[in-house]
C-alpha cells in the first residue's frame, strides 16, 4: 500500500510522538495498513495487531480528511 509521507509525519507529530518512537510508529502504521488491506476489520486480532490497526485507521482517516 502506498503511503503519503506528509500525512504519516503529521499524524505522528500530532498524536503519537509522545508515546511511540518514530521507528515503532512506522512499523505499526505499515503493519496496520497491511492488515486492513489483507484481512479487513471483521477479524479478531491480537493486542499488538489491534494497536497497528488503530494507527492504520488513524492514517486512513487523516488521508480522507485531506481530500
Amino acid at each position: 500500500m502506498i503511503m503519503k509521507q506528509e500525512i504519516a509525519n503529521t499524524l505522528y507529530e500530532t498524536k503519537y510522538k509522545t508515546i511511540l518512537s518514530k521507528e515503532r510508529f512506522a512499523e505499526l502504521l505499515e503493519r496496520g495498513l497491511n492488515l486492513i488491506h489483507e484481512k479487513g476489520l471483521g477479524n479478531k486480532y491480537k493486542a499488538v495487531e489491534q494497536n497497528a490497526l488503530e494507527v492504520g485507521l488513524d492514517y486512513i482517516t487523516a488521508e480522507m480528511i485531506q481530500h
Side-chain angles (χ1 to χ4, degrees), residues 42-59:
N43 295 320
K44 292 185 179 183
Y45 294 99
K46 298 174 186 173
V48 173
E49 291 174 327
Q50 289 175 356
N51 292 338
L53 287 172
E54 181 180 337
V55 174
L57 288 172
D58 281 346
Y59 172 85

Side-chain angles (χ1 to χ4, degrees), residues 2-47:
I2 297 174
M3 183 178 4
K4 295 180 182 174
Q5 195 60 47
E6 180 183 331
I7 295 171
N9 289 341
T10 301
L11 183 60
Y12 176 74
E13 291 294 327
T14 59
K15 186 168 183 179
Y16 291 99
K17 187 175 184 175
T18 59
I19 57 173
L20 293 172
S21 70
K22 184 82 169 183
E23 295 79 20
R24 183 66 179 147
F25 169 78
E27 290 170 9
L28 287 173
L29 177 56
E30 185 175 341
R31 186 172 183 185
L33 291 175
N34 286 336
L35 283 170
I36 292 165
H37 180 72
E38 292 171 7
K39 296 183 181 180
L41 299 174
N43 295 320
K44 292 185 179 183
Y45 294 99
K46 298 174 186 173

